[in-house]
Amino acid sequence: MADTPNFGRYTEIPFDQMSPQQQEGYHSLMEARGGRLPGPTKIYVENPTLAKVIGPFGAHFRKGYSLSLREREIVVCIITSHWHSAYPTSSHEKSAKAAGLPNEKIDAILSGLPTSFDDQREQVVYEIAMCLTSARWVSKGLFDRAVDALGHVGITDVITLMGHYTSVSMTLAFYDVPANATSMER
């Protein structure tokens, strides 16, 4: 294995130098990620037991779940910027723009400033993520609006998406992965 880190402070393991268990974890992540190994998955491969679980869990948030792409990016931008994690914040700022969120809304979210959305679901998603990220009490009014707008499936998707991206953000922050990081071609 190379001694020089190539993804922030992390040194990626070439496939042929992985243990058989890590190779299994790698294949599991590649399958769950559609043949890609982006962001923290480069690091998660180090832990093959985790890799086999987190890949499918993360895949849940990319297709066939209850939130729109815009709603997803509202949540992810709140979480990644909250944890001051450069790599995923930069990546998801671009994703939020591609999803059609207005620049001024994205700027407010990334800066921790208040903003609002005309779409009721987007507003509730924003409020849930801001409330929980700020370690605030969920009021009965917010709870009721969330149940009406998203239902319990949508609420749990918001909350577990927040948890997933907290893990992503903390991993990439710990390894000090910069916004413009490049890494080993796979």
Side-chain angles (χ1 to χ4, degrees), residues 75-130:
V75 172
V76 174
C77 285
I78 289 169
I79 293 301
T80 61
S81 63
H82 172 78
W83 291 111
H84 307 277
S85 192
Y87 185 89
T89 300
S90 175
S91 174
H92 285 279
E93 178 181 10
K94 294 172 191 158
S95 296
K97 289 176 180 177
L101 286 170
N103 287 340
E104 66 275 5
K105 306 284 185 203
I106 298 167
D107 290 344
I109 289 170
L110 296 179
S111 300
L113 300 173
T115 192
S116 61
F117 296 87
D118 294 331
D119 181 270
Q120 178 189 12
R121 283 180 55 97
E122 290 177 1
Q123 181 63 31
V124 167
V125 164
Y126 169 79
E127 289 178 20
I128 291 170
M130 290 299 292

Side-chain angles (χ1 to χ4, degrees), residues 14-161:
F15 183 80
D16 63 353
Q17 294 177 20
M18 291 178 190
S19 71
Q21 295 83 9
Q22 288 171 328
Q23 288 180 354
E24 285 179 35
Y26 171 88
H27 286 301
S28 177
L29 284 168
M30 290 292 277
E31 182 180 330
R33 295 289 314 186
R36 297 177 44 243
L37 200 66
T41 57
K42 299 172 186 314
I43 299 165
Y44 296 156
V45 77
E46 190 89 34
N47 181 340
T49 304
L50 173 65
K52 291 176 187 175
V53 175
I54 205 159
F57 182 67
H60 168 75
F61 300 112
R62 286 187 297 283
K63 57 184 174 188
Y65 79 119
S66 69
L67 301 179
S68 72
L69 185 56
R70 285 171 57 112
E71 292 162 353
R72 175 184 188 266
E73 292 307 323
I74 290 168
V75 172
V76 174
C77 285
I78 289 169
I79 293 301
T80 61
S81 63
H82 172 78
W83 291 111
H84 307 277
S85 192
Y87 185 89
T89 300
S90 175
S91 174
H92 285 279
E93 178 181 10
K94 294 172 191 158
S95 296
K97 289 176 180 177
L101 286 170
N103 287 340
E104 66 275 5
K105 306 284 185 203
I106 298 167
D107 290 344
I109 289 170
L110 296 179
S111 300
L113 300 173
T115 192
S116 61
F117 296 87
D118 294 331
D119 181 270
Q120 178 189 12
R121 283 180 55 97
E122 290 177 1
Q123 181 63 31
V124 167
V125 164
Y126 169 79
E127 289 178 20
I128 291 170
M130 290 299 292
C131 177
L132 294 174
T133 302
S134 302
R136 304 299 303 183
W137 184 263
V138 177
S139 70
K140 178 75 165 99
L142 174 54
F143 176 85
D144 290 343
R145 285 192 313 281
V147 170
D148 287 346
L150 304 174
H152 297 291
V153 170
I155 292 167
T156 58
D157 274 342
V158 169
I159 294 166
T160 55
L161 179 64

